[in-house]
Amino acid sequence: MVMLGATPPGRFTEQHDIFFGIGNSLKDLVPHMQDFWPEALGKIHIDAWREVSHVDGFEISVVPKESVPHRQHLFFINLGGYRENEFEEYHYKVLAVGKTLAEASKKSKQTAFYKHYSFKGAESHIDDKFGIDVDDIYKVEDMLPGAFRENYALRINPSPDVRADKLHIGYVKIEKLLKK
């Protein structure tokens, strides 16, 4: 899971998007990240990344494409919220495991962000379909570029290991990755 940043032509502020890919290193993902965001004209950077291996008491692993039973799905949820007297919409990215979108949505309502980033008159907008304040919600398997979806699947198994994935936060130049 990679948070990409860029200031595409014609924009005045840095834009962000989330990329999911499968590889042994960030360098392996560079061509896929560049294909993912062509409007950035190759001028993207990484603001944060996470090797997703544990979510909600489940182990997430990548396996060769096979008939993996989908009892559980990994969902990406992008919550949006506001703070009084601040000219900004804040976002919080959540990964949740659930059998259904409704189950994953319910988990996102438990986050501190959901509870603290709204105020009377500026509640996060309501997504009528899911009945939750979200900007975006997707199955991660649907977010993977085609080359990954065709060859790999996500296996999600209960795990007693409740450790959190390490978050790598900070600016990484793509050019620097390519030189390694």
Side-chain angles (χ1 to χ4, degrees):
M1 177 178 175
V2 182
M3 183 187 309
L4 298 173
T7 305
R11 300 293 175 202
F12 297 108
T13 60
E14 182 177 335
Q15 313 289 295
H16 292 96
D17 208 342
I18 296 294
F19 171 83
F20 285 92
I22 298 169
N24 292 317
S25 69
L26 287 175
K27 183 178 180 179
D28 291 347
L29 298 176
V30 169
H32 301 283
M33 290 186 284
Q34 290 172 330
D35 289 346
F36 171 74
W37 202 348
E39 303 85 2
L41 304 176
K43 297 180 180 179
I44 58 174
H45 62 270
I46 295 169
D47 282 312
W49 65 276
R50 166 186 179 178
E51 183 178 344
V52 179
S53 62
H54 291 86
V55 176
D56 292 340
F58 291 86
E59 181 179 19
I60 313 297
S61 56
V62 175
V63 297
K65 186 81 173 198
E66 56 184 57
S67 59
V68 175
H70 287 339
R71 293 184 186 104
Q72 301 284 349
H73 297 280
L74 180 62
F75 289 93
F76 167 75
I77 304 166
N78 185 31
L79 294 169
Y82 306 94
R83 302 206 69 175
E84 197 164 13
N85 297 318
E86 293 184 20
F87 191 77
E88 187 67 61
E89 180 185 8
Y90 297 94
H91 288 91
Y92 184 69
K93 283 99 177 104
V94 178
L95 290 177
V97 171
K99 292 179 182 176
T100 64
L101 189 119
E103 185 180 330
S105 296
K106 184 177 179 181
K107 288 181 180 182
S108 72
K109 287 183 177 183
Q110 304 308 311
T111 65
F113 179 90
Y114 184 87
K115 296 173 185 174
H116 298 291
Y117 277 81
S118 79
F119 59 93
K120 187 171 175 63
E123 296 83 4
S124 296
H125 44 279
I126 302 296
D127 183 315
D128 294 329
K129 184 174 181 183
F130 308 120
I132 181 173
D133 300 347
V134 297
D135 277 351
D136 308 289
I137 185 166
Y138 303 97
K139 288 181 184 175
V140 170
E141 62 201 48
D142 295 338
M143 296 176 72
L144 289 168
F148 299 127
R149 275 194 319 268
E150 292 169 9
N151 296 302
Y152 301 100
L154 299 180
R155 180 172 285 149
I156 303 170
N157 291 319
S159 173
D161 187 352
V162 293
R163 67 184 157 135
D165 292 338
K166 182 175 181 183
L167 302 180
H168 304 269
I169 311 296
Y171 189 90
V172 177
K173 288 186 176 184
I174 296 293
E175 299 82 31
K176 185 177 176 183
L177 286 176
L178 294 174
K179 290 181 182 179
K180 287 185 177 182

